[in-house]
């Protein structure tokens, strides 16, 4: 028994001995020890005790059912810091508010298990650590006793999980490491591998692809350590399994290998350990209520048969989740109820104890409409997927990063015919016949290698079982956008003029992104064209780009920033703004504070990228910014943090320069693209800014208010394929007659670059706190 618990038990025993000879009130709820003695024969003393009970004091109270409380007390409730010991050995030590466990606390079980962290109205809710009696440990986020959000879990057998949770199960993105060294990183659902993921074995083998209910299902690739791999459709049912083996060079060591070995042997030792069961939750523990009616006799008489009372005149108690029940004091004394508090809770509201935050986030949802069978663009999607699979999977020599100038020739393109019945080089397909064009295939193969894109992962993301999603409306240019189901890649349709601009700037673009690995300009992975056969069918040209907002973090706010004011607002009230709404310059209500070393690199890279775009005569580009608010509750409230509290300091960094945290290093081992870098997964602060309402001209950047939010920020420069051609010059001349020339987007690239930089360097500032 711990020293703390032993001390409480001794005080408890002393109280029992003292209470045997003490003069008691007939129906007292508890024996009073450290407050003034109450004599029921003296009315004056009763009044004095009643008035003094409204002051905060320290008490030790033994309840009639054997429970014990010691700590701060206000009126009829624990309030402040206190300990409550149940007769069965459970104990809570921590903060109380009017009879509720609220704030930081520690709950221990007789088995030796403990939870230490945040509590809300008796629930484990917020950040906390549970340590089981067997050595099981979970550290992370909780919502109403359930693991929910990001958390780390270690198991007694040596296994470890780090990732997202929902309703007590691994759900979302996460990494599971087995003691023997095998590990899985990818998507989960209800505690099982589900979605896209990678399993890596200690012997060097790995599987990348789709999973369902803990097993490979759908498109996937199995690789051996010698470089050979098997690509195909996976299923536990051998009849549904199909694929192709590709040896490494002249090696054919695994030609006779059976894919079912993965299900039978490889995964046999990769079982996810079960979570430890909690015997009883803190919210299920009953607090003593016996004798409450006498202390509140006057209140009860006034409230009989009114709202908040039962038909027999006894108080009705609000449970901790806000529902009203007819659970009475006698029922609580007999132990027939599950949840209760020290007093009548019907008039208390948890929300009234906290200052309501200024910022509220609505529930997030996936962007776009899934392109299912019957969709007008369903056949186009099938053609696109068939073309990508053919282009990427086509045998080719290893891509070198040192390219000849001929590789960039706009005439360097490959046409492929895809008949419905199939051909020597193409598979049969259910779509109509079409032709496929690859622009500068050698260059884009080199770009994918430069950006560390694995060919198999690339094919699975775009051509896997999951359909693409079409964004609800085309962009301002009339282009349509499609997202892969895993959000890694965005596909944009292009006009012929945009393709010409892109091919013209491609040599300079390749040189730029190769020279600066932290470049913020859009990453391009492929340029293609689909031409459907038959009269009236036009060519559809499209480019494949990286999605800046592909992350394990939910994007709560997104902004498209140019530095101009004309037409740069969404005109949406705060209540109608959703996480998928793209806000503009005049909607921006934050200033972003970056840690010193990151800010310096940010300034250097923005200048380099703007110099490149200015040299290529590009204008009308934007800085796309996405924000993930760290302190967001399950109800969508975002609470600002104090400038001096220390809670907003980005972890994993110091003044010496960017550093990786332990979690980031783990991610880096599995996927080099997931670590923190400029514009990706960056810890920062967002300071609320307000615009002056008395300005004659729109104010681009508001005045800082000192209200800070802890964020993860994402940003990049997009829409870089618009050159300053004759149409843009005419647009600039026309709008300049009606509006301030400096407020419009279509300006000379040199002036656009200057205005863009000045604006961005006012929005992004160095964090000097």
């Amino acid at each position: 028994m711990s020293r703390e618990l032993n001390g409480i038990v001794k005080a408890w025993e002393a109280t029992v001995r003292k209470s045997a000879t003490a003069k008691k009130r007939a129906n007292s709820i508890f024996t009073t020890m450290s407050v003034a003695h109450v004599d029921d024969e003296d009315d004056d003393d009763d009044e004095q005790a009643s008035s003094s009970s409204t002051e905060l004091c320290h008490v030790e109270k033994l309840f009639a059912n054997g429970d014990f409380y010691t700590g701060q007390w206000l009126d009829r409730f624990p309030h402040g810091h206190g300990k409550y010991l149940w007769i069965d050995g459970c104990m809570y030590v921590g903060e109380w508010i009017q009879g509720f466990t609220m704030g930081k606390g520690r709950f221990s079980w007789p088995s030796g298990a403990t939870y230490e962290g945040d509590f809300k109205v008796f629930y484990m809710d917020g950040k906390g650590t549970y340590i089981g009696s067997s050595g099981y440990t979970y550290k992370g986020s909780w919502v109403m006793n359930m693991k929910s959000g990001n958390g780390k879990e270690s198991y007694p057998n040596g296994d470890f999980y780090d990732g997202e949770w929902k309703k007590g199960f691994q759900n979302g993105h996460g990494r599971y490491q087995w003691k023997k060294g095998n590990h899985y990183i990818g998507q989960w659902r209800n505690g099982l591998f589900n979605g896209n993921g990678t399993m890596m074995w200690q012997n060097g083998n790995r599987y990348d692809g789709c999973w369902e209910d803990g097993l490979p299902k759908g498109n996937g690739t199995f690789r051996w350590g010698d470089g050979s791999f098997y690509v195909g459709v996976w299923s536990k049912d051998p009849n549904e399994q199909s694929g192709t083996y590709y040896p490494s060079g002249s090696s054919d060591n695994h030609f006779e290998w059976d894919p079912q070995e993965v299900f039978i042997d490889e995964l046999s030792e990769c079982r996810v350990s079960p979570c430890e069961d909690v015997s009883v939750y803190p919210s299920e523990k009953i607090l003593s209520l016996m004798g409450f009616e006498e202390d509140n006799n006057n209140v009860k008489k006034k409230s009989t048969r009114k709202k908040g009372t039962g038909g027999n005149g006894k108080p009705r108690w609000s449970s901790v989740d806000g529902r009203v029940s007819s659970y009475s004091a006698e029922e609580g004394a007999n132990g027939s109820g599950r949840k209760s508090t020290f007093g009548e809770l019907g008039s208390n509201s948890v929300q009234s104890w906290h200052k309501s935050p200024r910022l509220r986030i609505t529930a997030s949802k996936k962007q776009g409409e899934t392109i299912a069978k019957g969709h007008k663009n369903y056949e186009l999607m099938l053609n696109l997927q068939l073309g990508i699979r053919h282009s990427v999977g086509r045998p080719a020599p290893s891509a070198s990063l040192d390219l000849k100038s001929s590789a960039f020739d706009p005439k360097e393109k490959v046409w492929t015919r895809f008949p419905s019945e199939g051909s020597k080089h193409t598979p049969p397909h259910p779509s109509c016949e079409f032709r496929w064009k690859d622009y500068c295939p050698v260059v884009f193969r080199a770009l994918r290698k430069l950006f560390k894109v694995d060919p198999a992962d690339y094919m699975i993301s775009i051509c896997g079982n999951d359909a693409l999603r079409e964004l609800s409306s085309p962009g301002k240019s009339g282009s349509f956008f499609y997202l892969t189901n895993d959000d890694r890649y965005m596909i944009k349709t292009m006009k012929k003029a945009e393709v010409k601009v892109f091919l013209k700037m491609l040599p300079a673009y390749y040189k730029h992104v190769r020279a600066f690995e932290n470049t913020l300009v859009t990453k391009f992975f492929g340029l293609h064209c689909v031409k459907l056969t038959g009269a009236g069918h036009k060519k559809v040209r499209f480019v494949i780009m990286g999605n800046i907002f592909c992350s394990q973090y939910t994007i709560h706010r997104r902004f498209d920033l140019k530095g101009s004011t004309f037409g740069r607002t969404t005109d949406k009230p705060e209540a109608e703004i959703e996480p998928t709404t793209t806000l503009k310059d005049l909607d921006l209500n934050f200033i972003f504070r970056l840690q010193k070393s990151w800010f310096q690199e940010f300034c250097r890279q923005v200048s380099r990228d703007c110099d490149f775009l200015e040299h290529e005569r590009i204008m009308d580009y934007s800085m796309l910014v996405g924000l993930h608010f760290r302190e967001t509750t399950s109800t969508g409230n975002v609470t600002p943090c104090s400038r001096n509290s220390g809670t907003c300091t980005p972890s994993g960094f110091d003044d010496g320069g960017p550093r990786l945290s332990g979690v980031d290093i783990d991610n880096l081992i599995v996927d080099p693209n997931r670590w923190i870098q400029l514009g990706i997964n960056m810890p920062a602060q967002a300071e609320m800014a307000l615009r002056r309402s008395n300005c004659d001209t729109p104010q681009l950047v508001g005045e800082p208010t000192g209200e800070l939010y802890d964020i993860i920020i994402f940003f990049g420069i997009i829409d870089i394929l618009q050159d300053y051609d004759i149409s843009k010059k005419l647009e600039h001349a026309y709008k300049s007659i009606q509006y301030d020339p400096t407020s419009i987007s279509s300006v000379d690239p040199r002036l656009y670059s200057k205005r863009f930089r000045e604006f961005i360097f006012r929005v992004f500032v160095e964090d000097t706190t």
Side-chain angles (χ1 to χ4, degrees):
M1 185 179 294
S2 68
R3 184 181 301 176
E4 183 181 69
L5 186 58
N6 193 34
I8 293 177
V9 171
K10 287 183 179 179
W12 183 9
E13 292 171 349
T15 305
V16 172
R17 289 194 298 269
K18 189 181 294 184
S19 63
T21 57
K23 188 173 183 179
K24 300 183 293 181
R25 295 168 60 179
N27 297 315
S28 176
I29 185 172
F30 46 69
T31 301
T32 306
M33 294 178 59
S34 60
V35 294
H37 175 69
V38 178
D39 190 340
D40 57 353
E41 296 178 0
D42 193 332
D43 293 339
D44 294 337
D45 287 347
D46 278 340
E47 293 175 4
Q48 183 180 353
S50 176
S51 63
S52 64
S53 66
T54 59
E55 298 177 2
L56 186 67
C57 59
H58 187 277
V59 300
E60 293 180 350
K61 296 181 181 291
L62 178 67
F63 298 91
N65 67 347
D67 294 352
F68 178 81
Y69 173 81
T70 177
Q72 292 177 300
W73 191 270
L74 181 65
D75 196 7
R76 304 179 306 277
F77 309 104
H79 188 83
H81 192 278
K83 305 176 187 178
Y84 192 100
L85 174 66
W86 284 266
I87 196 170
D88 63 1
C90 292
M91 182 173 68
Y92 171 81
V93 181
E95 298 174 347
W96 299 75
I97 295 181
Q98 298 182 3
F100 291 95
T101 57
M102 290 283 290
K104 301 291 183 182
R106 184 175 186 271
F107 190 93
S108 58
W109 287 261
S111 64
T114 61
Y115 168 82
E116 188 164 3
D118 296 330
F119 284 83
K120 292 180 184 176
V121 286
F122 299 103
Y123 284 94
M124 299 183 290
D125 197 299
K127 302 289 185 183
T129 301
Y130 175 87
I131 302 176
S133 56
S134 61
Y136 162 94
T137 302
Y138 171 82
K139 182 177 182 180
S141 298
W142 300 74
V143 174
M144 296 189 72
N145 294 335
M146 297 290 187
K147 288 169 281 192
S148 188
N150 288 311
K152 302 177 184 179
E153 188 164 74
S154 57
Y155 302 87
N157 64 357
D159 292 356
F160 179 80
Y161 173 81
D162 181 4
E164 295 177 292
W165 298 78
K166 185 177 181 181
K167 296 182 178 179
F169 293 100
Q170 296 95 336
N171 206 98
H173 191 278
R175 175 174 181 262
Y176 193 99
Q177 172 105 29
W178 284 269
K179 184 180 180 180
K180 292 185 176 181
N182 303 334
H183 56 266
Y184 168 86
I185 182 167
Q187 296 298 312
W188 296 70
R189 186 171 67 188
N190 297 330
L192 297 172
F193 316 144
N194 207 95
N196 289 320
T198 298
M199 175 71 77
M200 301 180 71
W201 286 269
Q202 192 178 21
N203 60 11
N205 297 344
R206 64 182 280 171
Y207 169 83
D208 301 88
C210 300
W211 299 76
E212 186 176 293
D213 296 332
L215 297 173
K217 180 74 172 178
N219 288 292
T221 302
F222 187 89
R223 303 171 186 275
W224 287 268
D226 61 7
S228 55
F229 60 96
Y230 172 91
V231 179
V233 177
W234 292 74
S235 175
K236 192 174 183 181
D237 183 354
N239 296 325
E240 298 177 357
Q241 179 90 33
S242 65
T244 305
Y245 170 71
Y246 295 89
S248 174
S250 59
S251 171
D252 58 355
N253 296 337
H254 313 287
F255 189 76
E256 301 298 330
W257 173 80
D258 183 359
Q260 289 299 307
E261 292 181 21
V262 171
F263 298 93
I264 299 170
D265 299 324
E266 300 280 356
L267 293 174
S268 60
E269 297 182 356
C270 297
R271 304 293 182 185
V272 178
S273 298
C275 301
E276 181 174 291
D277 291 330
V278 179
S279 58
V280 60
Y281 290 102
S283 58
E284 296 176 311
K285 296 299 294 178
I286 301 170
L287 303 183
S288 180
L289 288 171
M290 185 183 296
F292 177 75
E293 289 105 330
E294 181 173 347
D295 284 353
N296 293 280
N297 194 38
N298 294 333
V299 176
K300 282 176 36 177
K301 286 180 180 178
K302 294 178 181 178
S303 61
T304 301
R305 293 193 179 276
K306 292 184 179 180
K307 184 177 180 181
T309 66
N312 58 2
K314 297 173 182 177
R316 299 172 65 191
W317 310 95
S318 293
S319 67
V320 291
D321 59 2
R323 293 173 294 185
V324 177
S325 69
S326 57
Y327 173 72
S328 68
E330 285 91 344
E331 290 167 344
N334 295 330
S336 60
R338 290 187 69 193
K339 303 180 182 73
S340 60
T341 63
F342 279 86
E344 187 173 8
L345 310 181
S347 62
N348 288 334
S349 169
V350 177
Q351 285 78 6
S352 65
W353 299 332
H354 301 280
K355 180 183 177 181
S356 59
R358 296 186 181 183
L359 192 60
R360 185 177 177 85
I361 303 297
T362 58
S364 181
K365 59 183 179 181
K366 274 201 169 185
Q367 282 184 285
E369 173 191 1
T370 300
I371 305 176
K373 197 167 185 177
H375 191 282
K376 63 179 182 179
N377 289 325
Y378 180 71
E379 284 197 353
L380 177 62
M381 180 191 73
L382 293 182
N383 299 341
L384 186 153
Q385 292 177 324
L386 284 167
I388 293 294
R389 185 184 290 274
H390 173 76
S391 299
V392 179
R394 182 171 51 212
S398 179
S400 170
L401 297 182
D402 296 319
L403 301 180
K404 297 179 180 179
S405 58
S406 59
F408 297 94
D409 189 338
K411 296 180 182 179
E412 186 69 18
K413 49 197 173 188
V414 179
W415 278 103
T416 305
R417 179 172 164 267
F418 281 79
S420 300
E421 66 277 10
S423 69
K424 182 180 178 180
H425 302 290
T426 63
H429 57 87
S431 180
C432 61
E433 180 177 329
F434 68 95
R435 294 183 68 198
W436 173 267
K437 183 197 289 187
D438 288 314
Y439 294 91
C440 300
V442 175
V443 177
F444 287 102
R445 193 180 302 121
L447 282 171
R448 291 194 292 270
K449 182 178 180 180
L450 181 66
F451 295 139
K452 299 179 177 63
V453 174
D454 182 85
D457 291 340
Y458 187 69
M459 280 197 292
I460 289 170
S461 291
I462 301 174
C463 314
N465 285 353
D466 298 312
L468 303 177
R469 303 196 312 275
E470 182 179 77
L471 298 193
S472 57
S473 60
K476 185 179 179 182
S477 64
S479 300
F480 283 85
F481 292 86
Y482 304 93
L483 279 171
T484 57
N485 190 65
D486 59 7
D487 289 333
R488 284 192 177 188
Y489 304 104
M490 180 174 285
I491 301 168
K492 176 189 177 185
T493 62
M494 301 179 71
K495 296 178 181 178
K496 187 176 181 179
E498 289 179 307
V499 173
K500 287 184 177 181
V501 171
F502 189 18
L503 292 175
K504 181 182 177 182
M505 70 179 287
L506 189 56
Y509 172 82
Y510 183 83
K511 181 180 178 181
H512 181 76
V513 297
R514 190 178 179 189
F516 305 108
E517 64 176 358
N518 281 336
T519 181
L520 299 176
V521 298
T522 305
K523 290 180 170 64
F524 294 110
F525 303 109
L527 182 63
H528 312 281
C529 176
V530 171
K531 183 180 181 182
L532 303 178
T533 57
H537 289 295
K538 297 181 179 180
K539 296 178 182 177
V540 180
R541 303 170 183 87
F542 57 90
V543 64
I544 301 176
M545 309 175 289
N547 180 17
I548 296 172
F549 296 155
C550 177
S551 171
Q552 64 198 34
Y553 298 104
T554 302
I555 303 300
H556 296 133
R557 283 286 185 273
R558 56 189 75 201
F559 297 91
D560 181 279
L561 307 175
K562 292 179 182 289
S564 56
T565 57
F566 178 71
R568 301 298 296 162
T569 180
T570 56
D571 291 327
K572 272 193 173 184
E574 179 72 25
E576 295 180 14
I577 295 175
E578 298 178 345
T580 55
T581 303
T582 301
L583 303 171
K584 299 181 182 179
D585 300 65
L586 294 180
D587 304 311
L588 182 65
N589 54 347
F590 294 107
I591 293 173
F592 307 120
R593 297 187 173 276
L594 305 182
Q595 188 264 347
K596 181 179 179 180
S597 55
W598 282 121
F599 177 70
Q600 292 173 347
E601 176 60 22
F602 171 79
C603 293
R604 285 193 293 266
Q605 194 57 54
V606 169
S607 295
R608 293 165 183 159
D609 291 339
C610 286
D611 286 342
F612 158 68
L613 296 172
E614 181 183 334
H615 183 267
E616 294 301 310
R617 300 290 292 166
I618 302 297
M619 41 76 68
D620 212 23
Y621 44 88
S622 309
M623 178 73 79
L624 187 63
V625 181
L627 309 180
H628 169 83
F629 291 93
R630 283 179 166 181
E631 300 300 325
T632 305
T633 67
S634 57
T635 58
N637 292 331
V638 185
T639 306
C641 53
S642 169
R643 184 184 293 270
N644 299 318
S645 66
T647 60
C648 296
T649 304
S651 61
F653 300 94
D654 59 26
D655 290 336
R659 303 212 183 277
L660 294 176
S661 67
V663 175
D664 299 322
I665 291 173
D666 289 341
N667 288 335
L668 180 59
I669 294 171
V670 179
D671 186 353
N673 296 316
R674 290 184 58 80
W675 69 304
I676 299 171
Q677 60 190 66
L678 188 67
I680 300 175
N681 294 328
M682 284 184 57
Q685 291 178 324
E687 182 173 4
M688 186 71 77
L690 297 177
R691 292 180 177 84
R692 295 189 299 269
S693 58
N694 57 352
C695 294
D696 296 331
T697 57
Q699 187 182 8
L700 268 176
V701 183
E703 302 296 332
T705 63
E707 188 173 293
L708 298 171
Y709 294 87
D710 197 9
I711 62 170
I712 302 293
I713 191 168
F714 303 79
F715 50 81
I717 298 175
I718 63 169
D719 295 338
I720 65 169
L721 301 179
Q722 183 63 63
D723 67 340
Y724 195 56
D725 59 7
I726 186 63
S727 64
K728 289 296 178 181
K729 291 177 181 177
L730 291 173
E731 180 184 342
H732 173 76
Y734 174 74
K735 289 184 177 179
S736 296
I737 298 172
Q738 299 174 294
Y739 309 102
D740 180 0
T742 62
S743 71
I744 59 180
S745 297
S746 298
V747 296
D748 178 84
R750 183 177 57 83
L751 295 176
Y752 190 94
S753 173
K754 181 176 182 294
R755 185 181 66 186
F756 179 82
R757 285 187 238 200
E758 290 176 350
F759 170 63
I760 292 300
F761 293 152
R762 291 173 61 200
V763 173
F764 287 82
V765 299
E766 182 182 342
D767 184 5
T768 57
T769 61

